[in-house]
């Protein structure tokens, strides 16, 4: 399942949560936040998908301290 498809499926089954970002780790949804927040609270390699389908990846940092920043993932053609 693609990241967008996983996020869309989660949003469909959790309609009380609108907007925000769906958080995905190793292909599985693990959470939702009302906005993209400090990457230090996420593992490097975690993804966030917003309601418009924009994808961000948590980069840098380490497992213990969390990621350093969110980076936008370029859309594929």
């Amino acid at each position: 399942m693609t990241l967008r498809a996983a996020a869309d499926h989660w949003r469909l089954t959790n309609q009380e949560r609108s907007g925000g970002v769906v958080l995905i780790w190793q292909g599985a949804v693990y959470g939702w936040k009302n906005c993209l927040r400090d990457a230090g609270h996420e593992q490097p390699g975690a993804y966030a998908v917003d309601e418009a389908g924009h994808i961000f990846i948590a980069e840098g940092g380490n497992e213990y301290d969390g990621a350093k920043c969110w980076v936008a993932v370029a859309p594929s053609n």
Side-chain angles (χ1 to χ4, degrees):
M1 187 179 294
T2 69
L3 295 170
R4 284 188 186 97
D8 288 345
H9 180 268
W10 187 90
R11 288 181 190 281
L12 214 74
T13 58
N14 295 277
Q15 293 184 8
E16 69 280 3
R17 306 272 189 214
S18 61
V21 293
V22 176
L23 301 166
I24 300 171
W25 171 250
Q26 297 182 337
V29 173
Y30 72 91
W32 173 89
K33 292 185 179 178
N34 65 337
C35 63
L36 197 60
R37 296 191 184 150
D38 183 5
H41 295 255
E42 313 303 333
Q43 291 288 322
Y47 289 94
V49 182
D50 71 10
E51 196 170 34
H54 300 114
I55 299 173
F56 304 88
I57 186 169
E59 290 190 345
N62 59 57
E63 230 176 82
Y64 181 78
D65 297 314
K68 285 208 174 265
C69 63
W70 289 106
V71 176
V73 175
S76 57
N77 294 332

